[in-house]
Amino acid sequence: MVLSKGFEIEMYTGTPQGDIVGLSDKITAAMEGFMREPDSRNVEYITDPFDDYERLLCGLVCPRLKLRRYLEQLGNYTLIPGSTLSLGGSQKFFRSDPNNPYHDYIENTYGTKVVTASVHINVGISDPEILMRACRIIRLEAPLYLALSASSPFLDGKATGYHSTRWGLFPQTPSSVPLFASHEDHIRWTKEQLAKGTMQNVRHLWTSVRPNGDRRPYDLNRLELRICDLVTDPIALLAITALLEARLLQVINNPNLDPLVKSSFSPEELIAITAQNEAACARNSLDAQLIHWVDGRTITARDWINELYEPAATIAKQHGFGCFLSPLQKIIREGNQAQRWLQLHGLGVSSRNVITQAINSIRERELELEDKLCSSLMA
């Protein structure tokens, strides 16, 4: 058994010099498959769910190549890596749809803290109780996926002290979200939040992991991991996804793999530990000191990921996606994008030059992947 997987990708548009420019109104009017975010400076596309990683790779790359070609028609514009307004613009909100009342609420309540770019990884799980158990365990391990994906060390041209400034500043909403003991528990809690106004609608659940489906909170069919910064290298993103899928296959096959059964902590303590771990990974990503949810031992994010890697590699090999997991070792060894950027910055390279180098690198990477894998699908 393998699981269906899909992505929601948010990206900034702008100039080759790294300045972010709002173009989502033009993009969504001219191109199918792209959606507006509340701020016009980023745009979203969603891949179809696929079981196999080869098709998922093309689903990631092909829309982006089409978007690049459209941006070139508009002028000298490109796609900007990173998950925050790295080089400037965080003081002002640029509305993409001034007549949308939900966007009114977002701008007035959160300001530009939500003007970020990220990737949401959706993995199909049809049984709602297994889905809830999966959400419980992945919620506690979500900081590890943030550690692998961190790509927002800059804001307004300066290093912030975070590896993921995005998650360090992002307003998780509602402020307190429990570990749901069952599907019915999730339904009851969601109704309460809507009645109290802590959620404006069923989409207004901004936490690291949430159950998702076509009629939330009732009809649910997938786990949505929302904590990841934008991973612009498709191969790296697939490796992170492969780790998630392998872990979920473990959860599905082992009913005892459940924090409510396996942990020495209460559910409330687990939430507090996870919040602490998320904050640590937002600052130090792979080097963060974390508290393990099973027994409370202190462990670095890198070592924890290495502990998960070996059983994950066995599962991935058994199910035919081992080669897509293996690039994870490069991230663990050489660092995530934020760490590599900060290493350059520490050598005296300006934040602007770091970003412009990354713009060129990711464009070359996409063209390489198009040539190798996606040419037939683009025809």
Side-chain angles (χ1 to χ4, degrees), residues 147-211:
L148 289 164
S149 66
S151 66
S152 51
F154 305 123
L155 184 68
D156 292 333
K158 298 177 181 178
T160 63
Y162 289 99
H163 290 185
S164 174
T165 305
R166 166 186 164 267
W167 199 251
L169 301 180
F170 194 83
Q172 296 190 54
T173 302
S175 57
S176 177
V177 180
L179 287 179
F180 301 113
S182 65
H183 186 202
E184 185 58 39
D185 185 30
H186 173 64
I187 292 171
R188 177 193 54 76
W189 180 88
T190 302
K191 288 180 175 179
E192 288 177 358
Q193 304 312 305
L194 293 171
K196 291 191 295 187
T198 54
M199 288 171 58
Q200 297 296 300
N201 53 53
V202 293
R203 293 179 295 130
H204 194 208
L205 174 54
W206 297 347
T207 189
S208 59
V209 178
R210 71 182 182 191

Short mmCIF file of all heavy atoms in Angstrom, two decimals, residues 147-211:
data_model
loop_
_atom_site.label_atom_id
_atom_site.label_comp_id
_atom_site.label_asym_id
_atom_site.label_seq_id
_atom_site.Cartn_x
_atom_site.Cartn_y
_atom_site.Cartn_z
N ALA A 147 12.17 21.68 10.74
CA ALA A 147 13.63 21.69 10.78
C ALA A 147 14.23 21.36 9.42
O ALA A 147 15.25 21.92 9.01
CB ALA A 147 14.13 20.70 11.83
N LEU A 148 13.61 20.44 8.69
CA LEU A 148 14.11 20.05 7.37
C LEU A 148 13.83 21.11 6.31
O LEU A 148 14.58 21.23 5.34
CB LEU A 148 13.47 18.72 6.95
CG LEU A 148 13.93 17.48 7.70
CD1 LEU A 148 12.97 16.33 7.48
CD2 LEU A 148 15.35 17.08 7.26
N SER A 149 12.76 21.87 6.48
CA SER A 149 12.29 22.76 5.41
C SER A 149 12.62 24.24 5.62
O SER A 149 12.38 25.04 4.72
CB SER A 149 10.77 22.62 5.25
OG SER A 149 10.10 23.09 6.42
N ALA A 150 13.15 24.62 6.77
CA ALA A 150 13.31 26.05 7.11
C ALA A 150 14.00 26.83 5.98
O ALA A 150 15.06 26.42 5.49
CB ALA A 150 14.10 26.19 8.40
N SER A 151 13.39 27.94 5.58
CA SER A 151 13.93 28.72 4.46
C SER A 151 13.61 30.21 4.59
O SER A 151 13.47 30.90 3.59
CB SER A 151 13.37 28.20 3.12
OG SER A 151 11.97 28.43 3.04
N SER A 152 13.49 30.70 5.83
CA SER A 152 13.13 32.11 5.99
C SER A 152 13.94 32.78 7.09
O SER A 152 13.40 33.22 8.10
CB SER A 152 11.63 32.24 6.27
OG SER A 152 11.22 31.39 7.34
N PRO A 153 15.27 32.88 6.89
CA PRO A 153 16.10 33.51 7.91
C PRO A 153 16.16 35.03 7.82
O PRO A 153 16.70 35.67 8.72
CB PRO A 153 17.48 32.91 7.63
CG PRO A 153 17.49 32.70 6.14
CD PRO A 153 16.08 32.31 5.79
N PHE A 154 15.61 35.59 6.73
CA PHE A 154 15.68 37.03 6.51
C PHE A 154 14.29 37.66 6.53
O PHE A 154 13.30 37.05 6.11
CB PHE A 154 16.34 37.36 5.17
CG PHE A 154 17.69 36.75 4.98
CD1 PHE A 154 17.96 35.92 3.89
CD2 PHE A 154 18.72 36.99 5.88
CE1 PHE A 154 19.21 35.35 3.70
CE2 PHE A 154 19.98 36.43 5.70
CZ PHE A 154 20.22 35.61 4.61
N LEU A 155 14.22 38.90 6.96
CA LEU A 155 13.02 39.73 6.85
C LEU A 155 13.47 41.17 6.67
O LEU A 155 14.31 41.66 7.44
CB LEU A 155 12.16 39.59 8.11
CG LEU A 155 10.81 40.33 8.08
CD1 LEU A 155 9.86 39.68 7.07
CD2 LEU A 155 10.17 40.35 9.47
N ASP A 156 12.95 41.80 5.62
CA ASP A 156 13.31 43.20 5.33
C ASP A 156 14.81 43.39 5.22
O ASP A 156 15.37 44.40 5.67
CB ASP A 156 12.73 44.13 6.39
CG ASP A 156 11.21 44.21 6.34
OD1 ASP A 156 10.65 44.00 5.25
OD2 ASP A 156 10.59 44.46 7.38
N GLY A 157 15.49 42.40 4.63
CA GLY A 157 16.91 42.53 4.35
C GLY A 157 17.84 42.18 5.49
O GLY A 157 19.06 42.27 5.34
N LYS A 158 17.29 41.74 6.62
CA LYS A 158 18.13 41.46 7.79
C LYS A 158 17.91 40.03 8.28
O LYS A 158 16.81 39.49 8.18
CB LYS A 158 17.80 42.43 8.92
CG LYS A 158 18.07 43.89 8.57
CD LYS A 158 17.66 44.80 9.72
CE LYS A 158 17.90 46.28 9.36
NZ LYS A 158 17.45 47.18 10.45
N ALA A 159 18.99 39.46 8.81
CA ALA A 159 18.86 38.17 9.48
C ALA A 159 18.12 38.37 10.80
O ALA A 159 18.45 39.28 11.57
CB ALA A 159 20.24 37.57 9.73
N THR A 160 17.12 37.55 11.04
CA THR A 160 16.21 37.78 12.17
C THR A 160 16.59 37.03 13.43
O THR A 160 16.05 37.30 14.50
CB THR A 160 14.78 37.34 11.78
OG1 THR A 160 14.80 35.92 11.52
CG2 THR A 160 14.28 38.09 10.55
N GLY A 161 17.50 36.05 13.33
CA GLY A 161 17.77 35.15 14.45
C GLY A 161 16.97 33.87 14.38
O GLY A 161 17.21 32.95 15.15
N TYR A 162 16.04 33.80 13.44
CA TYR A 162 15.27 32.58 13.18
C TYR A 162 15.82 31.88 11.94
O TYR A 162 16.29 32.53 11.01
CB TYR A 162 13.81 32.90 12.90
CG TYR A 162 12.97 33.37 14.06
CD1 TYR A 162 12.72 34.72 14.26
CD2 TYR A 162 12.38 32.45 14.92
CE1 TYR A 162 11.92 35.16 15.30
CE2 TYR A 162 11.57 32.87 15.97
CZ TYR A 162 11.34 34.22 16.16
OH TYR A 162 10.55 34.65 17.19
N HIS A 163 15.70 30.57 11.90
CA HIS A 163 15.85 29.85 10.63
C HIS A 163 14.53 29.86 9.88
O HIS A 163 14.51 29.91 8.65
CB HIS A 163 16.31 28.42 10.89
CG HIS A 163 17.72 28.32 11.38
ND1 HIS A 163 18.37 27.13 11.57
CD2 HIS A 163 18.61 29.29 11.73
CE1 HIS A 163 19.60 27.34 12.01
NE2 HIS A 163 19.76 28.65 12.12
N SER A 164 13.43 29.81 10.62
CA SER A 164 12.10 29.97 10.02
C SER A 164 11.42 31.17 10.69
O SER A 164 10.71 31.02 11.67
CB SER A 164 11.23 28.71 10.21
OG SER A 164 9.91 28.97 9.74
N THR A 165 11.69 32.33 10.14
CA THR A 165 11.00 33.53 10.62
C THR A 165 9.51 33.37 10.42
O THR A 165 8.71 33.82 11.25
CB THR A 165 11.52 34.77 9.88
OG1 THR A 165 12.94 34.83 10.02
CG2 THR A 165 10.90 36.04 10.43
N ARG A 166 9.13 32.73 9.32
CA ARG A 166 7.71 32.51 9.04
C ARG A 166 7.02 31.85 10.22
O ARG A 166 6.02 32.36 10.73
CB ARG A 166 7.56 31.65 7.78
CG ARG A 166 6.16 31.07 7.59
CD ARG A 166 6.09 30.10 6.42
NE ARG A 166 4.86 29.31 6.51
CZ ARG A 166 4.78 28.12 7.11
NH1 ARG A 166 5.86 27.58 7.68
NH2 ARG A 166 3.64 27.46 7.15
N TRP A 167 7.52 30.70 10.68
CA TRP A 167 6.82 29.99 11.74
C TRP A 167 7.04 30.66 13.09
O TRP A 167 6.20 30.55 13.98
CB TRP A 167 7.25 28.53 11.78
CG TRP A 167 6.26 27.69 12.52
CD1 TRP A 167 6.40 27.11 13.75
CD2 TRP A 167 4.93 27.35 12.09
NE1 TRP A 167 5.26 26.43 14.10
CE2 TRP A 167 4.34 26.56 13.10
CE3 TRP A 167 4.19 27.65 10.93
CZ2 TRP A 167 3.04 26.06 13.00
CZ3 TRP A 167 2.90 27.14 10.83
CH2 TRP A 167 2.34 26.37 11.86
N GLY A 168 8.14 31.38 13.23
CA GLY A 168 8.36 32.10 14.47
C GLY A 168 7.35 33.20 14.70
O GLY A 168 7.01 33.52 15.85
N LEU A 169 6.86 33.81 13.61
CA LEU A 169 5.94 34.94 13.72
C LEU A 169 4.50 34.58 13.38
O LEU A 169 3.58 35.33 13.69
CB LEU A 169 6.39 36.06 12.77
CG LEU A 169 7.79 36.63 13.01
CD1 LEU A 169 8.09 37.72 11.99
CD2 LEU A 169 7.95 37.15 14.42
N PHE A 170 4.29 33.42 12.75
CA PHE A 170 2.97 33.10 12.21
C PHE A 170 1.93 32.96 13.32
O PHE A 170 2.18 32.30 14.33
CB PHE A 170 3.04 31.80 11.40
CG PHE A 170 1.84 31.56 10.53
CD1 PHE A 170 1.75 32.16 9.29
CD2 PHE A 170 0.80 30.75 10.95
CE1 PHE A 170 0.64 31.94 8.47
CE2 PHE A 170 -0.30 30.53 10.15
CZ PHE A 170 -0.38 31.13 8.91
N PRO A 171 0.76 33.57 13.15
CA PRO A 171 -0.28 33.51 14.19
C PRO A 171 -1.05 32.20 14.14
O PRO A 171 -2.06 32.08 13.43
CB PRO A 171 -1.18 34.70 13.86
CG PRO A 171 -1.04 34.86 12.36
CD PRO A 171 0.36 34.45 12.02
N GLN A 172 -0.61 31.19 14.89
CA GLN A 172 -1.35 29.94 14.92
C GLN A 172 -2.72 30.18 15.57
O GLN A 172 -2.81 30.80 16.62
CB GLN A 172 -0.56 28.89 15.69
CG GLN A 172 0.75 28.52 15.01
CD GLN A 172 1.41 27.32 15.65
OE1 GLN A 172 0.79 26.26 15.79
NE2 GLN A 172 2.66 27.47 16.04
N THR A 173 -3.76 29.69 14.90
CA THR A 173 -5.13 30.04 15.27
C THR A 173 -6.01 28.79 15.21
O THR A 173 -5.93 28.03 14.24
CB THR A 173 -5.67 31.10 14.29
OG1 THR A 173 -4.83 32.24 14.34
CG2 THR A 173 -7.08 31.50 14.65
N PRO A 174 -6.87 28.61 16.21
CA PRO A 174 -6.97 29.27 17.52
C PRO A 174 -5.69 29.08 18.35
O PRO A 174 -4.86 28.23 18.02
CB PRO A 174 -8.16 28.60 18.19
CG PRO A 174 -8.97 28.03 17.06
CD PRO A 174 -7.95 27.61 16.05
N SER A 175 -5.57 29.85 19.40
CA SER A 175 -4.32 29.85 20.16
C SER A 175 -4.10 28.53 20.88
O SER A 175 -2.96 28.17 21.18
CB SER A 175 -4.33 30.99 21.17
OG SER A 175 -5.46 30.90 22.03
N SER A 176 -5.16 27.79 21.17
CA SER A 176 -5.04 26.50 21.84
C SER A 176 -5.83 25.46 21.07
O SER A 176 -7.05 25.56 20.94
CB SER A 176 -5.56 26.59 23.29
OG SER A 176 -5.50 25.34 23.92
N VAL A 177 -5.12 24.46 20.53
CA VAL A 177 -5.75 23.38 19.77
C VAL A 177 -5.34 22.06 20.41
O VAL A 177 -4.15 21.77 20.51
CB VAL A 177 -5.33 23.41 18.29
CG1 VAL A 177 -6.00 22.28 17.51
CG2 VAL A 177 -5.65 24.77 17.66
N PRO A 178 -6.29 21.26 20.86
CA PRO A 178 -5.95 20.02 21.58
C PRO A 178 -5.51 18.91 20.63
O PRO A 178 -5.61 19.02 19.40
CB PRO A 178 -7.26 19.66 22.26
CG PRO A 178 -8.31 20.19 21.34
CD PRO A 178 -7.75 21.46 20.77
N LEU A 179 -5.02 17.81 21.23
CA LEU A 179 -4.88 16.55 20.49
C LEU A 179 -6.25 15.89 20.46
O LEU A 179 -6.78 15.50 21.50
CB LEU A 179 -3.89 15.63 21.20
CG LEU A 179 -2.41 15.97 21.14
CD1 LEU A 179 -1.62 14.92 21.91
CD2 LEU A 179 -1.91 16.05 19.70
N PHE A 180 -6.84 15.79 19.30
CA PHE A 180 -8.19 15.26 19.20
C PHE A 180 -8.20 13.75 19.47
O PHE A 180 -7.51 12.99 18.79
CB PHE A 180 -8.80 15.57 17.84
CG PHE A 180 -8.86 17.05 17.56
CD1 PHE A 180 -8.09 17.61 16.55
CD2 PHE A 180 -9.67 17.88 18.31
CE1 PHE A 180 -8.13 18.97 16.29
CE2 PHE A 180 -9.72 19.24 18.06
CZ PHE A 180 -8.95 19.79 17.05
N ALA A 181 -9.00 13.34 20.45
CA ALA A 181 -9.04 11.94 20.84
C ALA A 181 -9.82 11.08 19.86
O ALA A 181 -9.64 9.86 19.83
CB ALA A 181 -9.65 11.81 22.24
N SER A 182 -10.68 11.71 19.05
CA SER A 182 -11.51 10.96 18.10
C SER A 182 -12.04 11.94 17.06
O SER A 182 -11.94 13.16 17.22
CB SER A 182 -12.68 10.29 18.83
OG SER A 182 -13.55 11.29 19.36
N HIS A 183 -12.66 11.39 16.02
CA HIS A 183 -13.30 12.23 15.02
C HIS A 183 -14.43 13.03 15.65
O HIS A 183 -14.60 14.23 15.38
CB HIS A 183 -13.83 11.34 13.88
CG HIS A 183 -14.38 12.12 12.73
ND1 HIS A 183 -15.28 11.59 11.83
CD2 HIS A 183 -14.19 13.41 12.34
CE1 HIS A 183 -15.59 12.51 10.94
NE2 HIS A 183 -14.96 13.62 11.23
N GLU A 184 -15.20 12.39 16.50
CA GLU A 184 -16.30 13.09 17.16
C GLU A 184 -15.79 14.23 18.03
O GLU A 184 -16.41 15.31 18.10
CB GLU A 184 -17.11 12.10 18.02
CG GLU A 184 -18.36 12.70 18.65
CD GLU A 184 -19.33 13.28 17.62
OE1 GLU A 184 -19.50 12.67 16.55
OE2 GLU A 184 -19.89 14.36 17.91
N ASP A 185 -14.68 14.04 18.68
CA ASP A 185 -14.05 15.09 19.49
C ASP A 185 -13.67 16.28 18.61
O ASP A 185 -13.88 17.45 18.98
CB ASP A 185 -12.81 14.51 20.17
CG ASP A 185 -12.15 15.48 21.13
OD1 ASP A 185 -12.85 16.34 21.71
OD2 ASP A 185 -10.92 15.38 21.33
N HIS A 186 -13.16 16.00 17.44
CA HIS A 186 -12.78 17.07 16.50
C HIS A 186 -14.01 17.83 16.02
O HIS A 186 -14.00 19.07 15.94
CB HIS A 186 -12.03 16.47 15.31
CG HIS A 186 -11.73 17.44 14.22
ND1 HIS A 186 -10.89 18.53 14.40
CD2 HIS A 186 -12.17 17.52 12.94
CE1 HIS A 186 -10.82 19.22 13.27
NE2 HIS A 186 -11.59 18.63 12.38
N ILE A 187 -15.08 17.12 15.71
CA ILE A 187 -16.32 17.77 15.27
C ILE A 187 -16.86 18.69 16.37
O ILE A 187 -17.20 19.86 16.11
CB ILE A 187 -17.37 16.72 14.88
CG1 ILE A 187 -16.94 15.95 13.61
CG2 ILE A 187 -18.74 17.37 14.66
CD1 ILE A 187 -17.81 14.76 13.29
N ARG A 188 -16.94 18.16 17.57
CA ARG A 188 -17.47 18.95 18.70
C ARG A 188 -16.64 20.21 18.94
O ARG A 188 -17.17 21.31 19.09
CB ARG A 188 -17.48 18.08 19.96
CG ARG A 188 -17.94 18.80 21.22
CD ARG A 188 -17.64 18.00 22.48
NE ARG A 188 -16.24 17.63 22.57
CZ ARG A 188 -15.26 18.47 22.91
NH1 ARG A 188 -15.54 19.74 23.17
NH2 ARG A 188 -14.01 18.05 22.97
N TRP A 189 -15.32 20.06 18.95
CA TRP A 189 -14.43 21.19 19.19
C TRP A 189 -14.56 22.25 18.10
O TRP A 189 -14.59 23.46 18.39
CB TRP A 189 -12.98 20.70 19.29
CG TRP A 189 -11.98 21.78 19.56
CD1 TRP A 189 -11.57 22.26 20.77
CD2 TRP A 189 -11.23 22.51 18.56
NE1 TRP A 189 -10.64 23.24 20.60
CE2 TRP A 189 -10.40 23.42 19.25
CE3 TRP A 189 -11.19 22.49 17.17
CZ2 TRP A 189 -9.55 24.29 18.61
CZ3 TRP A 189 -10.33 23.36 16.51
CH2 TRP A 189 -9.53 24.25 17.22
N THR A 190 -14.63 21.81 16.85
CA THR A 190 -14.75 22.76 15.73
C THR A 190 -16.04 23.56 15.84
O THR A 190 -16.06 24.79 15.65
CB THR A 190 -14.69 22.01 14.38
OG1 THR A 190 -13.46 21.29 14.29
CG2 THR A 190 -14.80 23.00 13.22
N LYS A 191 -17.14 22.88 16.15
CA LYS A 191 -18.41 23.59 16.34
C LYS A 191 -18.31 24.63 17.45
O LYS A 191 -18.83 25.76 17.31
CB LYS A 191 -19.52 22.59 16.66
CG LYS A 191 -19.98 21.73 15.50
CD LYS A 191 -21.09 20.78 15.96
CE LYS A 191 -21.66 19.97 14.83
NZ LYS A 191 -22.72 19.05 15.31
N GLU A 192 -17.63 24.29 18.52
CA GLU A 192 -17.46 25.24 19.63
C GLU A 192 -16.67 26.47 19.20
O GLU A 192 -17.02 27.60 19.56
CB GLU A 192 -16.74 24.55 20.80
CG GLU A 192 -17.58 23.53 21.55
CD GLU A 192 -16.78 22.85 22.65
OE1 GLU A 192 -15.56 23.15 22.79
OE2 GLU A 192 -17.37 22.02 23.38
N GLN A 193 -15.61 26.26 18.42
CA GLN A 193 -14.79 27.39 17.98
C GLN A 193 -15.57 28.31 17.04
O GLN A 193 -15.47 29.54 17.13
CB GLN A 193 -13.52 26.90 17.28
CG GLN A 193 -12.67 25.95 18.11
CD GLN A 193 -12.42 26.43 19.52
OE1 GLN A 193 -11.93 27.54 19.74
NE2 GLN A 193 -12.76 25.59 20.49
N LEU A 194 -16.36 27.72 16.15
CA LEU A 194 -17.16 28.53 15.24
C LEU A 194 -18.21 29.34 16.02
O LEU A 194 -18.46 30.51 15.71
CB LEU A 194 -17.84 27.63 14.20
CG LEU A 194 -16.89 26.94 13.21
CD1 LEU A 194 -17.65 25.92 12.38
CD2 LEU A 194 -16.21 27.97 12.30
N ALA A 195 -18.79 28.71 17.03
CA ALA A 195 -19.79 29.42 17.84
C ALA A 195 -19.16 30.56 18.63
O ALA A 195 -19.77 31.62 18.79
CB ALA A 195 -20.47 28.42 18.78
N LYS A 196 -17.94 30.35 19.13
CA LYS A 196 -17.27 31.38 19.93
C LYS A 196 -16.61 32.45 19.07
O LYS A 196 -16.26 33.51 19.58
CB LYS A 196 -16.21 30.73 20.83
CG LYS A 196 -16.77 29.87 21.94
CD LYS A 196 -15.70 29.47 22.95
CE LYS A 196 -14.64 28.59 22.35
NZ LYS A 196 -13.70 28.07 23.38
N GLY A 197 -16.43 32.18 17.78
CA GLY A 197 -15.79 33.14 16.90
C GLY A 197 -14.27 33.07 16.89
O GLY A 197 -13.61 33.91 16.27
N THR A 198 -13.69 32.07 17.57
CA THR A 198 -12.24 31.91 17.51
C THR A 198 -11.80 31.36 16.15
O THR A 198 -10.63 31.45 15.79
CB THR A 198 -11.73 30.98 18.62
OG1 THR A 198 -12.44 29.75 18.56
CG2 THR A 198 -11.96 31.62 19.99
N MET A 199 -12.74 30.75 15.42
CA MET A 199 -12.55 30.40 14.02
C MET A 199 -13.64 31.08 13.20
O MET A 199 -14.82 31.02 13.57
CB MET A 199 -12.61 28.88 13.82
CG MET A 199 -11.42 28.12 14.36
SD MET A 199 -11.66 26.30 14.34
CE MET A 199 -11.98 26.00 12.61
N GLN A 200 -13.25 31.74 12.12
CA GLN A 200 -14.21 32.43 11.27
C GLN A 200 -14.95 31.47 10.35
O GLN A 200 -16.09 31.73 9.94
CB GLN A 200 -13.50 33.49 10.42
CG GLN A 200 -12.85 34.59 11.25
CD GLN A 200 -13.88 35.39 12.02
OE1 GLN A 200 -14.77 36.01 11.42
NE2 GLN A 200 -13.77 35.38 13.34
N ASN A 201 -14.30 30.36 10.00
CA ASN A 201 -14.90 29.34 9.15
C ASN A 201 -14.09 28.05 9.36
O ASN A 201 -13.11 28.05 10.12
CB ASN A 201 -14.92 29.77 7.67
CG ASN A 201 -13.55 30.21 7.19
OD1 ASN A 201 -12.57 29.48 7.33
ND2 ASN A 201 -13.46 31.42 6.62
N VAL A 202 -14.47 26.97 8.69
CA VAL A 202 -13.80 25.70 8.95
C VAL A 202 -12.36 25.69 8.43
O VAL A 202 -11.56 24.84 8.84
CB VAL A 202 -14.59 24.52 8.32
CG1 VAL A 202 -15.91 24.33 9.03
CG2 VAL A 202 -14.77 24.69 6.81
N ARG A 203 -12.02 26.63 7.54
CA ARG A 203 -10.64 26.71 7.05
C ARG A 203 -9.74 27.45 8.02
O ARG A 203 -8.52 27.41 7.91
CB ARG A 203 -10.61 27.44 5.69
CG ARG A 203 -11.26 26.66 4.56
CD ARG A 203 -11.20 27.45 3.26
NE ARG A 203 -11.98 28.68 3.32
CZ ARG A 203 -11.52 29.87 2.97
NH1 ARG A 203 -10.28 30.03 2.56
NH2 ARG A 203 -12.30 30.94 3.05
N HIS A 204 -10.35 28.15 8.98
CA HIS A 204 -9.60 29.04 9.86
C HIS A 204 -9.02 28.26 11.05
O HIS A 204 -9.14 28.66 12.21
CB HIS A 204 -10.53 30.17 10.33
CG HIS A 204 -9.83 31.32 10.96
ND1 HIS A 204 -10.42 32.12 11.90
CD2 HIS A 204 -8.58 31.82 10.80
CE1 HIS A 204 -9.60 33.06 12.29
NE2 HIS A 204 -8.46 32.90 11.63
N LEU A 205 -8.38 27.14 10.73
CA LEU A 205 -7.66 26.33 11.71
C LEU A 205 -6.21 26.28 11.26
O LEU A 205 -5.81 25.47 10.43
CB LEU A 205 -8.27 24.92 11.79
CG LEU A 205 -7.55 23.88 12.67
CD1 LEU A 205 -7.34 24.40 14.09
CD2 LEU A 205 -8.31 22.56 12.67
N TRP A 206 -5.43 27.23 11.77
CA TRP A 206 -4.06 27.42 11.32
C TRP A 206 -3.11 26.83 12.35
O TRP A 206 -2.57 27.53 13.20
CB TRP A 206 -3.76 28.91 11.12
CG TRP A 206 -4.59 29.56 10.06
CD1 TRP A 206 -5.36 28.97 9.12
CD2 TRP A 206 -4.70 30.97 9.83
NE1 TRP A 206 -5.95 29.91 8.32
CE2 TRP A 206 -5.57 31.15 8.73
CE3 TRP A 206 -4.16 32.10 10.45
CZ2 TRP A 206 -5.90 32.40 8.24
CZ3 TRP A 206 -4.48 33.35 9.96
CH2 TRP A 206 -5.34 33.50 8.86
N THR A 207 -2.93 25.55 12.28
CA THR A 207 -2.01 24.86 13.17
C THR A 207 -1.07 24.02 12.32
O THR A 207 -1.22 23.94 11.11
CB THR A 207 -2.79 24.01 14.19
OG1 THR A 207 -1.91 23.52 15.17
CG2 THR A 207 -3.52 22.86 13.52
N SER A 208 -0.09 23.41 12.97
CA SER A 208 0.95 22.73 12.21
C SER A 208 0.42 21.56 11.39
O SER A 208 0.92 21.26 10.31
CB SER A 208 2.05 22.24 13.16
OG SER A 208 1.50 21.35 14.12
N VAL A 209 -0.60 20.89 11.91
CA VAL A 209 -1.20 19.73 11.25
C VAL A 209 -2.71 19.81 11.46
O VAL A 209 -3.17 20.18 12.54
CB VAL A 209 -0.69 18.40 11.86
CG1 VAL A 209 -1.35 17.20 11.19
CG2 VAL A 209 0.82 18.30 11.75
N ARG A 210 -3.47 19.47 10.42
CA ARG A 210 -4.92 19.41 10.61
C ARG A 210 -5.52 18.33 9.71
O ARG A 210 -4.98 18.03 8.63
CB ARG A 210 -5.58 20.76 10.32
CG ARG A 210 -5.60 21.17 8.86
CD ARG A 210 -6.23 22.55 8.67
NE ARG A 210 -6.30 22.91 7.26
CZ ARG A 210 -6.61 24.13 6.81
NH1 ARG A 210 -6.86 25.10 7.68
NH2 ARG A 210 -6.66 24.38 5.52
N PRO A 211 -6.64 17.74 10.14
CA PRO A 211 -7.38 16.85 9.25
C PRO A 211 -8.12 17.69 8.20
O PRO A 211 -8.61 18.78 8.51
CB PRO A 211 -8.34 16.13 10.19
CG PRO A 211 -8.54 17.08 11.33
CD PRO A 211 -7.26 17.85 11.47
#
